[in-house]
């Protein structure tokens, strides 16, 4: 009975069906990628899990208890979202203290250490933070809050490449020390793909994919070689992406690799999760 | 005398030296990447070029004419920035019409076509746009405005992977039809790297790198193979990144490739621009 269990959740906004009979389970101590296009319903789902929105129908349980208006269940979850719920006139340090009063396991020492690593100015008011530092402020809380379930909605919005790399590293370190359930919704799919154990793709309010990352990565492969070699090999394959650089070509292909007929000169690499995502979620 | 010529530009905010004697030239009809960490000074430079901020000292000319309070020069530039300068109660269609009155070459047909491709709802008020669609609204204008210089400050903020790919494709198509100067400041470096002709990296208000992408990519290389083979080969090399997947390892290395001593079983690939950027701009 452990984990977050979502059963037949439906939610509409006016005429728009945002979530259509979604059922899904998040198991304890795993890292999930919750992927989808803008407007697919990811944030709606995260907001329903955390009682910021209420479903039209369906049930959610957290470790076996209903999620709805249940403080005991909600105290096990932290949602880092684009919307900032902290009073905008507080500075970052005050906000950390405030977090402690809601989340008794909030680790202030960790928050101060992470702030140093990211270069977050603790005296800065929340309203004065740039897009990138607003994300960092929320990342610091999410990585210090010590709830068994942490939901990240677009955690790296506005972060530079160095800070994104630091976030991925700190998340993995934290998870290795004290495993927890991380549900990460992000548009930077390729960067995060090596962190994920399972991938859920939502499309138009429905679950399109719910598989381990390993299973998903075996749905196809990439290969590289001279343009002619690649063109010859892919003629009868389902190609979802082509990159060309000088005379070299890389193709991303869906399907099993036919090793018998593969010319030795072609190089094989893993499937690019972002390319697969684009292919699966593009509207025709 | 064509192009944007920046000479000894210095700008402070209080005690903070944002730009420190920057000199730089953007030539006509090229695509530049203007890269730097959060707070490096990129947006400050773009805002000074477009008169939204004024430098403490230094000069900027646009096609040989001063940029400062010179409408003739400024009419040649469009800056797409995070800050939205359109009245928030306008809807998108009204904003396109409004753009036409400022930019006589603004192509309304193009804007309508691009809006359809991105799925932008033209009746939506600017204030009601999500982060992703706010970026899309500004991308549509930037790609329809037809000024010889278009400056993009974080154009893909909040965009999903499909829309980012669409933006890169439309930018290249536009550029191929009617070349113009695009200066793109972005944190998603690896995705954009194949589009760029030249790369400028700003670090702490100074120019760190100003080179063609080709020259920059020859500063190093990546190689992949079994963990042991890679470890043996990189022992005496300057390694800036390691990725491991199962028994395979990929290393990113700075320096010339020593082809003579390279085991045949190792695969060579191009340098990852984002990894190089992180290495060059990390604070020690």
């Amino acid at each position: 009975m452990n984990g977050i269990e979502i059963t037949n959740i439906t939610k509409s906004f006016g005429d728009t069906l945002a979530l259509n009979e979604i059922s899904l389970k998040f198991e304890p101590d795993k890292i999930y990628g919750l992927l989808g296009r803008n407007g697919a319903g990811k944030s709606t789902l995260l907001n329903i899990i955390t009682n910021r929105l209420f479903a039209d129908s369906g049930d959610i349980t957290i470790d076996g208890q209903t999620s709805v208006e249940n403080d005991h269940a909600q105290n096990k979850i932290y949602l880092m979202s684009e919307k900032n719920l902290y009073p905008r006139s507080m500075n970052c340090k005050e906000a950390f203290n405030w977090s402690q009063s809601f989340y008794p396991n909030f680790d202030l020492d960790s928050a101060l250490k992470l702030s140093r690593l990211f270069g977050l100015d603790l005296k800065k008011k929340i309203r004065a933070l740039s897009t990138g530092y607003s994300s960092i402020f929320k990342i610091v809380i999410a990585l210090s809050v010590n709830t068994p379930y942490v939901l990240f909605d677009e955690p790296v919005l506005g972060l530079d490449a160095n800070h994104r790399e630091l976030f991925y590293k700190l998340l993995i370190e934290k998870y290795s020390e004290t495993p927890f359930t991380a549900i990460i919704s992000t548009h930077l799919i390729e960067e995060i793909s090596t962190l994920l154990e399972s991938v859920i793709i939502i499309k138009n309010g429905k679950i399109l994919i719910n598989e381990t990352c390993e299973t998903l990565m075996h749905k196809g492969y990439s290969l590289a070689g001279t343009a002619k070699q690649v063109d010859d090999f892919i003629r009868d394959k389902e190609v979802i992406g082509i990159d060309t650089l000088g005379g070299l070509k890389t193709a991303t292909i869906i399907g099993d690799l036919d090793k018998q007929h593969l010319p030795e000169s072609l190089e094989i690499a893993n499937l690019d999760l972002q390319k697969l995502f684009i292919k699966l979620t593009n509207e025709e």
Side-chain angles (χ1 to χ4, degrees), chain A residues 18 23 69 89 91-92 120 143 148 222 240 264 270 276 278 281:
Chain A
S23 293
E69 293 183 353
S89 62
N91 70 31
C92 296
L120 175 67
L143 292 179
S222 291
I240 62 170
E264 260 191 41
N270 286 300
L276 177 63
I278 292 174
T281 60

Side-chain angles (χ1 to χ4, degrees), chain A residues 153-203:
Chain A
D153 196 1
E154 278 301 327
V156 296
L157 190 75
L159 261 61
D160 62 35
N162 317 52
H163 280 153
R164 295 202 304 277
E165 197 177 76
L166 179 60
F167 167 61
Y168 304 140
K169 180 172 158 274
L170 293 169
L171 177 73
I172 285 296
E173 281 177 10
K174 171 94 192 163
Y175 178 80
S176 308
E177 281 164 27
T178 328
F180 62 106
T181 304
I183 304 172
I184 307 168
S185 175
T186 180
H187 291 312
L188 301 197
I189 297 170
E190 196 43 32
E191 286 190 355
I192 202 128
S193 62
T194 54
L195 273 67
L196 305 177
E197 288 171 271
S198 286
V199 173
I200 292 144
I201 301 181
I202 301 191
K203 184 177 178 179

Side-chain angles (χ1 to χ4, degrees), chain A residues 22 27 30 55 61 82 98 102 106 130 135 138 147 152 155 157 160 176 193 201-202 248 257 263:
Chain A
I22 291 254
E27 290 179 24
K30 288 198 173 172
T61 59
E82 201 182 333
W98 205 57
F102 291 99
F106 184 90
S130 66
S135 294
K138 290 179 283 185
T147 54
F152 299 87
L157 190 75
D160 62 35
S176 308
S193 62
I201 301 181
I202 301 191
L248 289 176
L257 176 55

Side-chain angles (χ1 to χ4, degrees), chain A residues 28-76:
Chain A
D29 303 343
K30 288 198 173 172
I31 302 183
Y32 291 88
L34 179 66
L35 309 179
R37 300 208 50 186
N38 268 326
K42 306 178 304 291
S43 300
T44 302
L45 180 61
L46 296 177
N47 281 313
I48 290 175
I49 294 173
T50 53
N51 282 195
R52 296 191 191 179
L53 285 174
F54 293 93
D56 300 335
S57 58
D59 294 300
I60 299 180
T61 59
I62 296 160
D63 294 344
Q65 299 192 358
T66 178
S67 68
V68 178
E69 293 183 353
N70 178 349
D71 283 352
H72 183 70
Q74 287 299 331
N75 288 343
K76 296 181 177 179

Side-chain angles (χ1 to χ4, degrees), chain A residues 212-229:
Chain A
T212 65
C213 219
E214 212 192 323
T215 311
L216 201 55
M217 293 302 238
H218 279 99
K219 288 197 183 293
Y221 56 95
S222 291
L223 54 81
T226 63
K228 187 176 173 334
Q229 286 170 332

